[in-house]
Amino acid sequence: MKNIYSGIREQRRDTDTFTDWGGGSIDASERFPKKCLGRADRVFSQGLQCRQTNSVMALLSMEDSVFVLHSPLGCTGCCCMANDWFRVGQLHRGNYAMKNARVIVTNLDNRDIILGGEEKLRKAIRLAYTRYQPKMIFVFTSCSSGIIGDDIEAVVAEVSEEIPSIVVPVHCEGFKSKICASGYDSAFLAFSQYILKDAPKGETENDLLNLFAPPTVSYIDQTEIERILGDIGIRVNYIPFYSSLEKIRKIPNARASSAICKVFADEFMKELYEKYGIPYSHTIMPIGTRNTDKWLLGIAALFDKTAQAQEYIKEEYTKVRPLVEELKSKLSGKRVFICGGTGRSFAAAALIDDFDMKLVGMETPVYDNDTQSDLEYLNRLYGNFTLDIANMMPYEQVNLLSKLKPDVFIGVPVWAAKLGIPTTHILDIKRPTMGYRNLVYLGNKILYQIENPGFNKKIAAHARLPYKKSWYDEDAFKYIK
Ligand code: SF4
């Protein structure tokens, strides 16, 4: 029987997936293949990033679209962040008359939870059409709509008869997965089930690459990636950030697929291979020279351009290496803690190799087969370091940071800054991070923070974290059982 992917990462059959674990990195990499990492859970949890958030973030910049959240009002909180990214992205792309994303929420309340919310959804989709006449209307489900069992498919099928817009359900109920990347998968499942459906392959465009990119990739990173690929003769169909119906319909015509993030669109690329025979490269995020090389060579091989890419890498090195070496002389030996999404954390950890820094700790939301190969590489590079498998557990993070005392924290900086540790971001949709040129910017950003720690020191002097002193002496992983 064909293995149909449900969009829930915990249910994938070809990998074990862990979301709750803490300990040494070497211990983790030895336990995982023996299947004895342990099915743990946290008996105390400080909240997870919701799957719906990732679905909304992935799609909110789609052109000529309206977004209907079939949820209570509170679920729209994530839209503020995604809308901010959308607005900044417009500005970076030269559009100074920035617009807000068009979001409608059905505002499910107590009454709807008892009597059902289908009528509200019908009205919301009709309103989306009469108000905006978009090409696409995305309907996001929520915990509430999932728990009460509203028949989203039936409502969508019924209203689709009345209006010319393509109505696309995105099944992203938060409670169904502890892995927020499942929300990205829900968005891609929606593309394949409701937009591409049984679309034929069409004529292959031999220089065209489907490049799947999460919304956290800045415009300057997008242009750097397109520059690198363009220089070896590869054109990019960039999806889904600032994408369109036309670009989605072009997907089957590409010669190959790849993604900027390792946990983004990986299941969708498998599906495209099975359905259209489109080969794909699934390597690592292009942060740092080693990863950018690996990422580029993976794609180049699909276009028979390996030799050309190798020559190109040499040329890029001649421009970038002297600057990286200069940064390395200043950053060498600095101790680093990294926290980010799975794809970004592991890619950024290898970046530290460029600057001869020392990895002392890492927080990643998920551990699976892909992570295992990356962790084995990092263990060879740095030896043992502390690994926390956690989707946003600040209480564990501050405990670890106060013990490990890194020279710099790379990742979501809020809590580390309150401890007075120099911080910088790699999940930065407004600044450069990826490719050869942007490595220099990133290195300078890290150095700047280390040399100018005053701001975070002042924050630490005036802001208090909400934990008792005794917590910092406890085992950080005390609540993982
Ligand atoms: S979908 Fe569920 S987890 Fe996500 S914001 Fe709404 S209530 Fe929270």
Side-chain angles (χ1 to χ4, degrees):
M1 202 175 81
K2 193 170 181 299
N3 180 7
I4 298 170
Y5 178 50
S6 65
I8 295 167
R9 292 213 149 211
E10 289 91 332
Q11 292 177 356
R12 288 181 298 171
R13 291 186 194 171
D14 53 358
T15 180
D16 285 321
T17 304
F18 296 90
T19 51
D20 306 87
W21 194 83
S25 60
I26 292 179
D27 191 23
S29 69
E30 287 173 353
R31 281 167 180 259
F32 183 78
K34 295 183 214 152
K35 296 192 181 291
C36 54
L37 203 53
R39 282 278 160 216
D41 205 346
R42 282 178 169 81
V43 291
F44 170 66
S45 175
Q46 271 180 314
L48 307 172
Q49 183 172 324
C50 162
R51 176 184 174 212
Q52 189 202 59
T53 305
N54 280 46
S55 294
V56 171
M57 285 191 314
L59 299 173
L60 207 75
S61 61
M62 292 289 298
E63 262 176 30
D64 210 354
S65 302
V66 176
F67 308 90
V68 175
L69 270 72
H70 189 38
S71 69
L73 192 57
C75 298
T76 59
C78 65
C79 294
C80 303
M81 179 178 68
N83 189 50
D84 176 53
W85 294 358
F86 175 48
R87 289 173 64 88
V88 170
Q90 291 173 66
L91 189 67
H92 287 182
R93 286 163 177 80
N95 178 4
Y96 291 86
M98 295 176 293
K99 293 193 182 86
N100 288 319
R102 298 182 294 200
V103 179
I104 293 172
V105 58
T106 52
N107 199 7
L108 292 174
D109 58 19
N110 296 354
R111 191 175 179 281
D112 306 314
I113 299 302
I114 297 162
L115 299 174
E118 291 172 9
E119 188 48 33
K120 272 192 169 175
L121 180 59
R122 255 181 226 107
K123 279 187 189 161
I125 300 172
R126 286 183 188 127
L127 176 70
Y129 179 72
T130 48
R131 199 181 275 176
Y132 302 112
Q133 296 87 48
K135 284 187 186 160
M136 291 181 286
I137 299 172
F138 291 95
V139 176
F140 299 92
T141 59
S142 64
C143 290
S144 306
S145 69
I147 290 166
I148 62 179
D150 274 357
D151 192 344
I152 312 293
E153 303 293 321
V155 174
V156 164
E158 183 191 326
V159 185
S160 293
E161 302 268 301
E162 303 165 17
I163 60 175
S165 306
I166 301 174
V167 187
V168 185
V170 184
H171 292 280
C172 53
E173 302 86 355
F175 70 87
K176 284 191 179 170
S177 175
K178 281 166 81 175
I179 305 172
C180 51
S182 297
Y184 290 147
D185 294 348
S186 306
F188 285 110
L189 276 173
F191 284 178
S192 61
Q193 289 173 356
Y194 299 93
I195 300 178
L196 291 174
K197 292 192 255 184
D198 297 320
K201 168 105 180 80
E203 195 162 327
T204 301
E205 297 182 35
N206 268 323
D207 60 345
L208 190 65
L209 172 77
N210 291 321
L211 186 59
F212 300 107
T216 47
V217 176
S218 68
Y219 181 57
I220 196 151
D221 279 336
Q222 181 186 339
T223 49
E224 169 70 348
I225 294 294
E226 288 178 341
R227 173 189 76 85
I228 292 170
L229 292 169
D231 284 349
I232 61 164
I234 297 172
R235 244 176 348 115
V236 167
N237 186 25
Y238 195 80
I239 290 182
F241 210 36
Y242 289 90
S243 185
S244 61
L245 180 59
E246 291 67 31
K247 283 184 164 186
I248 295 171
R249 286 191 167 144
K250 233 180 180 192
I251 289 173
N253 300 354
R255 171 161 168 178
S257 302
S258 190
I260 290 186
C261 174
K262 202 172 178 181
V263 295
F264 195 72
D266 47 344
E267 293 294 332
F268 186 53
M269 290 195 293
K270 277 184 211 162
E271 188 187 330
L272 292 175
Y273 177 67
E274 283 164 18
K275 200 163 156 189
Y276 298 109
I278 300 174
Y280 61 94
S281 168
H282 179 228
T283 51
I284 196 157
M285 196 174 243
I287 300 180
T289 51
R290 178 245 183 200
N291 293 342
T292 306
D293 296 352
K294 197 173 170 191
W295 177 84
L296 178 60
L297 290 169
I299 295 170
L302 301 173
F303 288 80
D304 298 326
K305 288 177 182 280
T306 302
Q308 194 182 342
Q310 283 165 338
E311 273 309 304
Y312 181 77
I313 288 169
K314 275 189 211 156
E315 283 169 32
E316 288 293 297
Y317 272 30
T318 56
K319 293 176 220 158
V320 168
R321 266 287 164 217
L323 299 168
V324 172
E325 288 301 320
E326 198 184 322
L327 284 163
K328 190 176 185 173
S329 66
K330 295 173 184 159
L331 289 169
S332 177
K334 299 289 183 209
R335 300 168 74 256
V336 185
F337 190 105
I338 289 191
C339 164
T342 309
R344 222 173 260 258
S345 293
F346 280 93
L351 148 106
I352 294 168
D353 187 33
D354 279 312
F355 301 128
D356 191 30
M357 297 164 90
K358 169 91 183 119
L359 184 65
V360 294
M362 179 196 273
E363 191 176 327
T364 176
V366 178
Y367 197 104
D368 57 15
N369 284 5
D370 273 346
T371 320
Q372 172 70 9
S373 56
D374 292 336
L375 192 70
E376 283 169 358
Y377 165 75
L378 292 177
N379 285 339
R380 282 197 298 277
L381 206 60
Y382 303 112
N384 196 40
F385 56 89
T386 301
L387 183 71
D388 187 9
I389 305 174
N391 179 352
M392 297 207 181
M393 295 295 153
Y395 72 101
E396 286 178 7
Q397 188 185 101
V398 296
N399 178 306
L400 292 172
L401 289 174
S402 69
K403 286 175 184 145
L404 293 168
K405 299 192 178 6
D407 295 309
V408 64
F409 174 92
I410 300 180
V412 180
V414 186
W415 305 291
K418 287 183 181 175
L419 291 172
I421 298 167
T423 53
T424 193
H425 223 309
I426 36 155
L427 210 156
D428 192 338
I429 64 125
K430 295 169 187 173
R431 294 178 190 86
T433 306
M434 295 172 196
Y436 298 109
R437 290 179 182 172
N438 294 344
L439 171 64
V440 178
Y441 179 92
L442 190 55
N444 270 303
K445 200 161 71 132
I446 297 169
L447 181 62
Y448 180 83
Q449 290 301 325
I450 293 175
E451 289 181 341
N452 299 278
F455 184 69
N456 285 7
K457 281 190 175 162
K458 282 208 172 72
I459 290 181
H462 296 284
R464 231 167 34 88
L465 283 159
Y467 311 104
K468 285 184 180 165
K469 257 187 156 183
S470 56
W471 168 241
Y472 296 92
D473 298 325
E474 295 271 10
D475 174 8
F477 307 124
K478 175 181 174 178
Y479 294 105
I480 303 175
K481 304 285 182 193

